[in-house]
Amino acid sequence: MDRLSDLLDVEKPLGRQLRTKKAALLATGCDAVRQTVLKTAFA
């Protein structure tokens, strides 16, 4: 996630090429309660 945010500030031309693209994330864990941090990043 951090490297993707660099495309908004550091590499703006490349970041603009990603404007219409879709992204997905697959995460695994063993916590009893689901964390919303990653879900919020993709909202």
Side-chain angles (χ1 to χ4, degrees):
M1 300 303 297
D2 184 45
R3 300 300 91 178
L4 288 175
S5 65
D6 284 351
L7 295 175
L8 302 175
D9 296 324
V10 180
E11 298 290 335
K12 287 186 179 185
L14 181 58
R16 288 187 181 111
Q17 292 177 14
L18 299 174
R19 182 173 284 169
T20 59
K21 305 295 189 242
K22 293 185 178 187
L25 174 71
L26 176 64
T28 61
C30 60
D31 292 341
V33 178
R34 186 177 358 171
Q35 301 293 318
T36 59
V37 174
L38 294 175
K39 183 179 177 184
T40 303
F42 282 92

